[in-house]
Amino acid sequence: MTDPTFWQKTREMTKRLFLPEWAPQEAVQLTWPHDRTDWAYMLDEVETCFVRIATAILRHERLIVVCPDRKRVFGLLPPELHHRLYCFELPSNDTWARDHGGISLLADGRPMIADFTFNGWGMKFAADKDNLITRALYLSRAFVPETAYTNALSLVFEGGGIESDGAGTLLSTESVIVEPNRNAGVDDEALRQYLIEILGGERLLTLTNG
């Protein structure tokens, strides 16, 4: 958690803000491993790891889990923590929720989820199911009731490819924004301005490598 005046300060600063890593949060989202993900060959070991991650999160806050079998997930996690666990049976290609999940914003003092197109890191892997998760969760009311939804599906992007300092500066890489299999043919400056507009930043810094 950060200091209790965080929200007041950010509301005064901007109408829309991409939240930094240290901002207060309502919940964490996980996509559970299954036998059709990259973890299939070591599923038992990885699921044990996910159980530990989920248990640690549930001791402090709500956990949203996308999974093929909600009863199985509930059965793996401590019953005394079930009151914070919200499972949604949705199809998924893999488990990288940070990349295929929605990006959390604050818009006019209200939580907002920005939904970009995730295409498996430039079409390296199948992502057709992962790309539908954010909208499906929103329509399933997985997020707090006041959460708004913004459709940014015209832009190929991923949540793990952007960082914020909480004060208007956004940081990404050149390849995440535009490459042959990401937003090809779109004007570079237009892409940058659109990303700034969606995320509420004042400036976007991009690394050539990394």
Side-chain angles (χ1 to χ4, degrees):
M1 289 291 186
T2 188
D3 74 84
T5 63
F6 177 85
W7 295 125
Q8 180 180 353
K9 290 176 181 177
T10 55
R11 285 168 185 164
E12 293 170 354
M13 185 186 308
T14 182
K15 290 185 178 180
R16 185 176 289 193
L17 176 73
F18 170 40
L19 298 174
E21 294 285 349
W22 55 87
Q25 58 190 27
E26 294 286 344
V28 171
Q29 177 185 329
L30 293 179
T31 302
W32 207 259
H34 53 78
D35 60 7
R36 295 175 301 284
T37 64
D38 283 351
W39 301 118
Y41 73 100
M42 54 184 299
L43 187 58
D44 289 344
E45 180 180 347
V46 170
E47 192 168 54
T48 297
C49 179
F50 267 69
V51 168
R52 291 173 180 166
I53 293 170
T55 301
I57 293 168
L58 286 166
R59 295 193 190 284
H60 301 280
E61 60 189 304
R62 294 170 64 237
L63 176 63
I64 298 168
V65 176
V66 171
C67 61
D69 184 349
R70 67 189 306 274
K71 289 183 180 179
R72 175 173 178 77
V73 175
F74 270 95
L76 290 169
L77 296 171
E80 67 272 18
L81 301 178
H82 284 183
H83 65 288
R84 290 185 178 141
L85 177 61
Y86 299 81
C87 288
F88 296 85
E89 292 185 354
L90 297 169
S92 63
N93 300 101
D94 224 313
T95 60
W96 305 107
R98 182 179 175 90
D99 282 335
H100 66 239
I103 295 180
S104 299
L105 309 174
L106 186 69
D108 293 322
R110 179 184 179 189
M112 174 180 280
I113 294 294
D115 189 8
F116 294 89
T117 289
F118 175 65
N119 73 347
W121 306 290
M123 301 175 69
K124 293 182 178 70
F125 302 96
D128 55 310
K129 298 179 179 68
D130 292 342
N131 189 44
L132 300 176
I133 288 175
T134 297
R135 181 168 175 78
L137 286 177
Y138 177 76
L139 294 175
S140 300
R141 305 189 180 209
F143 309 116
V144 292
E146 64 270 27
T147 302
Y149 173 90
T150 185
N151 184 332
L153 294 171
S154 60
L155 180 65
V156 177
F157 202 63
E158 54 216 37
I162 187 77
E163 294 290 347
S164 168
D165 66 354
T169 299
L170 307 174
L171 178 65
S172 188
T173 68
E174 298 285 349
S175 62
V176 164
I177 295 174
V178 60
E179 62 159 20
N181 290 329
R182 286 187 183 98
N183 307 308
V186 181
D187 179 74
D188 183 69
E189 186 57 31
L191 274 174
R192 291 168 180 270
Q193 287 304 123
Y194 181 61
L195 192 57
I196 288 172
E197 177 184 337
I198 290 293
L199 299 180
E202 296 176 3
R203 65 196 69 83
L204 172 62
L205 307 179
T206 54
L207 304 175
T208 303
N209 299 301

